[in-house]
Amino acid sequence: MTVLLLLLAALALAYFGAGALSWTVLFTIAALAFSFTDPGFAGLLVVWGLFIAAAVLLNSSSIRRRCVTAPILAWVGKTLPGISDTEKEAIEAGTVSWDGDLFTGMPDWNKLLAMSKPTLTKEDKAFIDGPVEQLCEMLNDWEITHQRYDLSPSTWKFIKENGFFGMIIPKKYGGLELSALAHSTAVMKVATRSITGAVTVMVPNSLGPGELLLHYGTEEQKDYYLPRLAKGEEIPCFALTAPKAGSDAGAITDKGIVCKGEWEGKEVIGLRLTWNKRYITLAPVATVLGLAFKVYDPDHLIGDEVERGVSCALIPTSTPGVKTGARHLPLNTVFMNGPTWGEDVFIPMDFLIGGEKYIGKGWAMLMNCLSVGRAISLPALSAGAGKLSSLTSGAYARIREQFNLPVGYFEGVQEALARIGGLTYLMDSARVMTAGLLDNHEKPAVPSAILKYHNTEKMRAVVGAAMDVHAGRGVIKGPRNYIARVYQAIPISITVEGANILTRSLMIFGQGAIRAHPYLLQEMEAAQNPNKEKALDDFDHLFFKHVRRNMQLTARSLVLAFTGGTVASAPESARETRPYFRDMTRLAAAFGLVSDVTLASLGGELKRREMISGRLGDCLSYLYLGSSVLKRFHDDGCPKSDAPLMHWAMRYCQYEIQNALHEVLRNYPVKALGLLLRPLVFPLGRHFERADDAICREIAEMLLQPSEARDRLVDGVYRNTRPDDPVGRIENAFLKKVGVANLEKRIKKAIKAGDIPDNDLYAMLEAAVNKKILTTDEAERYREAEEAVDDAIQVDHFDPHELPVTQSD
């Protein structure tokens, strides 16, 4: 009993993160208790020897540093992964926000819910309801992708004149200065109308010259370029990717040699550039080229170093030697994209963004800007695809009948509809929360990687499910098809701004573990401090705080798993979501424990263990995504009609975290550690499950009927009820079909009774009116609904002369 009480006391101290004094008291009690059991002189000697050693190490920092910390520091110096300059700049880019709280393993949910709710200002709404809506009305995707292979001249003019290229540029330079949420919402809405249109407006406001100029440009560069970019007088592009340097952008071979040359009739010091870039969006139409390259100064014209590092310049495309204009066709999604190249192109030093003082700082500049842009553009486009899929799939499943029943009431289709709605809710929650972080002046580097990977992957799943629901209606291309182009463009989003495979396997956890961990980066910096005494002092302080945290995570993981999370705290305002807050606390503790043990056991080897890193990245990602769902539900006032979406998304996140942890432990590189960790993480086995069929049916029903919940889910999609519009045709038929549901019941009852024929719509309605089953007005409404449905389910067909002509022998 005494041993059990002591073990429970130790577990309690570890759970609450007790300090050295508390542990010393417990060890004293344990030693005294053991002494009264008459253990003999040898036993007393061992017990009190261990007690003295533990007490001294806990309470004497000088002895601890000399006997314990110094050897550990020496081992850590050899074990910690080496960090290249590009990796270091990527890690240091951006800020740590909620991802840091998740890495502690003890997230403060009250802090999350206390974050201000992201909202659009009146000015934001005016732009989205005005110019954005007008742009959507102008965009004809079939015409863009199959006839013009470009936006129309009037659309280009509208985009320029209405500030779409200056959404992030401050008003003092003539820009719109939209909030991050408004910027995201604008991109999302345009994306529901045309991928080409969305990419065209999003790229100048993402990673590109505008963002770089705002943060690093000289005053002269800002004053000249930003007003011109805001008005659309300049069209920008930014060239980073090269044939031999894609995800490994630090390997670029493009170079700039510092030299003297002639510029505007004078001899000046500048750079002679040679580059070859590809996949550059807007390059074929750009008037100003942002360029990343490595600077070399072999003649020491500006300093002693020869290799000066990655730098960025802004070059008018009219500069002699600049080559652009040829086009790539990314899966026939016809936004302007192409290569750019040049050989021995001379530019003056003032073309460098930020001037000469920013030579060699280009990678850090790019990483800081990428942490913002990557959190907006592709996540917004993905959420837009989800909203479009939710709107149209539910409507189509309601009007399309098979076996005399709308296909949306077949359980197989309902399962797909639930996946569409649930993942859309998840994507949009993450989009909104992360935009809120940006508007609070954060630069969420790790969340931006999470959103880039997971929103684009969720888009792949959602649009795939939408194609399943639409079946033949979705695969026949033509002016009526609103989903095929989105489906076709999915691999582009998966590939750009960091390929998804590498984003998951290297960036999310690889950078997050160092950037967002409460101690790891500081420990690494201490270990690399050339001042050995200072390094030992700092490392000792950090390392033993780290040890105490790991003891706490071990205890919390075990206790929370045994109790099903019931002892974890949850916000007082949480009612329906209380179990999720508790379960997420439990999973955060398990993630924190497993990630720390993995970092300690693998060290630098973790770089090569991409499968393990990817799974731990999944854990962090779904903790973040689940957090965004809980925040969104509470920010919206916990509407009961949205609860099925919240339940589906939360169970999905928890199931994915559980599976990722299971796969980490099942494939743990150090098998013994994996076996030791499993009972701490899953002492009672795995019990998290995905949403049950009842929740799936509720979400399907939400999409199959007009409702406030449906409207909230698809809010931000471009929608209308015009029967001549691709989406409007479906929505028009959907609303009319639902509007005559009661009439349809009467008709079907009369047909079953043999009172009216069912082989011809007009004969059936005439008989129904004659037998007073329907009034004349009701028959007219029913006829309009059926004709609208018949038109909506049709697909396009083409005469041979309408198809592109190809030459053959």
Side-chain angles (χ1 to χ4, degrees):
M1 182 59 70
T2 301
V3 172
L4 179 61
L5 290 173
L6 288 170
L7 287 174
L8 290 173
L11 188 64
L13 290 182
Y15 185 91
F16 292 106
L21 180 59
S22 299
W23 283 103
T24 303
V25 171
L26 180 63
F27 290 158
T28 303
I29 294 171
L32 288 171
F34 186 77
S35 299
F36 284 113
T37 63
D38 193 20
F41 178 75
L44 287 172
L45 192 64
V46 170
V47 169
W48 285 99
L50 290 173
F51 165 75
I52 292 169
V56 169
L57 292 177
L58 283 170
N59 297 283
S60 175
S61 57
S62 60
I63 296 175
R64 181 177 68 239
R65 283 198 297 271
R66 185 168 62 253
C67 298
V68 179
T69 309
I72 292 174
L73 180 58
W75 174 78
V76 165
K78 299 176 183 177
T79 306
L80 282 175
I83 302 177
S84 67
D85 290 340
T86 54
E87 286 176 313
K88 184 177 180 182
E89 287 169 343
I91 288 167
E92 292 174 350
T95 59
V96 177
S97 53
W98 181 246
D99 49 312
D101 289 68
L102 294 173
F103 248 108
T104 66
M106 295 170 278
D108 181 354
W109 299 112
N110 288 307
K111 174 183 174 181
L112 175 72
L113 297 187
M115 293 179 188
S116 57
K117 176 183 178 180
T119 54
L120 296 171
T121 66
K122 288 183 179 179
E123 202 168 6
D124 292 338
K125 290 178 181 177
F127 179 69
I128 291 163
D129 294 339
V132 175
E133 182 79 8
Q134 290 174 262
L135 175 60
C136 288
E137 290 170 1
M138 296 173 71
L139 294 169
N140 182 321
D141 198 58
W142 179 255
E143 177 187 280
I144 292 166
T145 56
H146 286 80
Q147 294 171 3
R148 292 185 179 277
Y149 292 92
D150 189 9
L151 303 176
S152 69
S154 60
T155 304
W156 275 107
K157 185 172 184 287
F158 184 87
I159 286 171
K160 294 174 182 178
E161 291 180 350
N162 285 274
F164 280 90
F165 288 163
M167 289 192 285
I168 66 169
I169 294 175
K171 292 177 182 177
K172 69 176 183 177
Y173 296 110
L176 298 177
E177 200 173 348
L178 295 182
S179 66
L181 180 61
H183 176 191
S184 169
T185 304
V187 169
M188 180 180 71
K189 188 167 190 174
V190 177
T192 66
R193 190 63 167 170
S194 166
I195 297 294
T196 298
V199 172
T200 300
V201 302
M202 82 188 191
V203 167
N205 296 285
S206 183
L207 178 61
E211 183 83 11
L212 290 167
L213 284 170
L214 281 172
H215 293 287
Y216 304 105
T218 65
E219 291 305 314
E220 292 80 5
Q221 289 170 340
K222 291 178 183 178
D223 290 340
Y224 178 77
Y225 276 114
L226 290 178
R228 296 172 65 81
L229 290 169
K231 295 175 184 176
E233 294 173 4
E234 301 278 8
I235 298 178
C237 69
F238 192 86
L240 176 61
T241 303
K244 295 185 178 180
S247 296
D248 182 14
I252 58 175
T253 56
D254 311 289
K255 61 185 178 180
I257 308 298
V258 180
C259 63
K260 293 181 180 179
E262 186 176 324
W263 188 259
E264 296 181 344
K266 297 179 182 179
E267 185 180 70
V268 298
I269 293 177
L271 296 159
R272 193 164 297 282
L273 302 175
T274 297
W275 74 93
N276 180 18
K277 305 285 191 179
R278 62 180 179 178
Y279 310 150
I280 311 306
T281 300
L282 296 185
V285 294
T287 61
V288 60
L289 167 69
L291 188 67
F293 54 92
K294 288 182 177 178
V295 172
Y296 300 88
D297 184 15
D299 298 327
H300 305 289
L301 295 178
I302 59 173
D304 296 330
E305 297 178 69
V306 174
E307 297 185 11
R308 301 299 301 267
V310 177
S311 305
C312 299
L314 201 56
I315 308 166
T317 55
S318 59
T319 303
V322 175
K323 305 294 184 183
T324 59
R327 288 185 65 178
H328 300 312
L329 285 178
L331 289 177
N332 288 333
T333 304
V334 297
F335 57 86
M336 289 292 171
N337 186 279
T340 174
W341 65 95
E343 186 172 352
D344 292 332
V345 177
F346 182 78
I347 64 169
M349 280 292 180
D350 58 11
F351 278 18
L352 287 167
I353 296 176
E356 186 177 326
K357 70 177 182 178
Y358 278 100
I359 285 180
K361 298 180 180 178
W363 190 244
M365 295 159 64
L366 291 168
M367 288 301 98
N368 273 294
C369 291
L370 190 61
S371 69
V372 175
R374 192 163 50 179
I376 293 179
S377 297
L378 290 174
L381 187 148
S382 302
K387 289 174 181 280
L388 177 66
S389 297
S390 297
L391 180 78
T392 58
S393 298
Y396 184 74
R398 179 63 181 82
I399 67 172
R400 174 66 167 151
E401 293 188 358
Q402 292 287 278
F403 307 106
N404 206 30
L405 183 72
V407 298
Y409 293 105
F410 289 85
E411 288 197 346
V413 174
Q414 289 186 328
E415 190 174 16
L417 290 175
R419 187 159 62 250
I420 291 168
L423 290 177
T424 297
Y425 188 82
L426 180 64
M427 285 191 288
D428 200 41
S429 299
R431 176 190 74 87
V432 171
M433 185 173 94
T434 309
L437 294 177
L438 292 169
D439 283 329
N440 284 330
H441 310 294
E442 296 280 1
K443 291 184 177 180
V446 175
S448 73
I450 291 172
L451 258 69
K452 193 281 164 180
Y453 172 74
H454 283 279
N455 269 30
T456 55
E457 290 293 339
K458 303 299 176 282
M459 173 177 67
R460 177 163 23 198
V462 164
V463 178
M467 289 293 282
D468 288 346
V469 171
H470 283 81
R473 176 68 170 79
V475 301
I476 303 301
K477 293 198 301 183
R480 291 171 172 266
N481 197 319
Y482 42 75
I483 200 72
R485 182 62 61 198
V486 182
Y487 180 81
Q488 194 171 20
I490 287 170
I492 302 170
S493 298
I494 298 295
T495 301
V496 300
E497 289 191 8
N500 274 13
I501 288 177
L502 295 185
T503 298
R504 174 181 178 265
S505 61
L506 291 177
M507 294 180 64
I508 295 175
F509 183 76
Q511 292 182 14
I514 299 173
R515 188 72 183 91
H517 193 284
Y519 304 116
L520 187 57
L521 182 58
Q522 297 174 71
E523 288 171 332
M524 295 174 70
E525 291 171 344
Q528 295 168 357
N529 191 336
N531 184 330
K532 300 300 182 183
E533 186 175 345
K534 181 72 164 55
L536 187 59
D537 285 346
D538 291 345
F539 188 81
D540 177 79
H541 174 71
L542 292 165
F543 181 74
F544 283 95
K545 285 177 71 175
H546 195 161
V547 169
R548 185 171 74 175
R549 169 183 176 271
N550 280 355
M551 292 174 61
Q552 186 173 17
L553 288 176
T554 301
R556 287 176 63 85
S557 180
L558 181 62
V559 170
L560 293 173
F562 256 116
T563 61
T566 55
V567 298
S569 61
E572 291 185 10
S573 59
R575 292 184 181 178
E576 192 162 3
T577 55
R578 185 172 287 116
Y580 295 121
F581 280 112
R582 290 172 170 168
D583 284 336
M584 293 290 277
T585 299
R586 171 202 165 177
L587 291 168
F591 163 70
L593 173 63
V594 174
S595 62
D596 262 25
V597 173
T598 304
L599 288 165
S601 61
L602 293 183
E605 179 69 13
L606 182 62
K607 278 187 179 181
R608 291 175 290 280
R609 297 286 188 168
E610 294 177 21
M611 294 183 187
I612 296 294
S613 179
R615 290 164 189 147
L616 289 171
D618 289 343
C619 293
L620 176 61
S621 298
Y622 284 109
L623 284 167
Y624 182 84
L625 296 172
S627 299
S628 73
V629 168
L630 292 171
K631 177 164 173 57
R632 186 233 183 99
F633 190 67
H634 279 260
D635 283 350
D636 288 349
C638 304
K640 288 189 178 299
S641 56
D642 288 5
L645 293 166
M646 181 273 294
H647 287 302
W648 193 100
M650 287 308 303
R651 293 185 189 184
Y652 176 86
C653 289
Q654 292 179 341
Y655 184 81
E656 292 297 324
I657 297 168
Q658 171 185 261
N659 279 5
L661 286 169
H662 168 68
E663 289 301 318
V664 168
L665 298 178
R666 190 171 73 89
N667 295 279
Y668 213 68
V670 186
K671 295 296 183 183
L673 278 177
L675 292 173
L676 287 172
L677 285 169
R678 182 167 291 278
L680 297 174
V681 175
F682 300 120
L684 302 177
R686 290 170 284 151
H687 71 272
F688 290 108
E689 298 176 340
R690 288 191 174 170
D692 57 30
D693 292 348
I695 291 174
C696 291
R697 281 191 286 268
E698 288 183 84
I699 294 175
E701 186 63 32
M702 179 191 302
L703 297 182
L704 292 168
Q705 298 291 336
S707 67
E708 291 182 1
R710 179 179 186 258
D711 289 342
R712 277 193 296 270
L713 180 64
V714 303
D715 183 44
V717 71
Y718 175 76
R719 62 196 294 194
N720 63 70
T721 57
R722 297 199 315 268
D724 62 340
D725 180 84
V727 174
R729 180 180 287 113
I730 294 291
E731 187 76 352
N732 174 59
F734 167 69
L735 295 175
K736 286 183 175 178
K737 183 71 170 178
V738 172
V740 298
N742 289 330
L743 305 183
E744 188 171 31
K745 288 179 182 178
R746 280 190 251 162
I747 290 285
K748 288 184 176 181
K749 183 179 179 181
I751 291 173
K752 188 175 182 180
D755 295 333
I756 57 176
D758 67 343
N759 58 339
D760 178 81
L761 173 66
Y762 303 102
M764 177 188 72
L765 292 178
E766 183 179 1
V769 171
N770 290 337
K771 295 190 177 183
K772 301 189 182 303
I773 296 168
L774 298 179
T775 67
T776 302
D777 287 343
E778 288 174 336
E780 180 63 17
R781 285 172 52 211
Y782 191 85
R783 180 192 63 77
E784 289 179 357
E786 288 300 302
E787 288 178 349
V789 168
D790 184 63
D791 179 58
I793 64 175
Q794 298 300 320
V795 297
D796 296 288
H797 56 94
F798 302 92
D799 290 328
H801 73 271
E802 296 178 284
L803 298 174
V805 177
T806 58
Q807 297 295 326
S808 60
D809 294 334

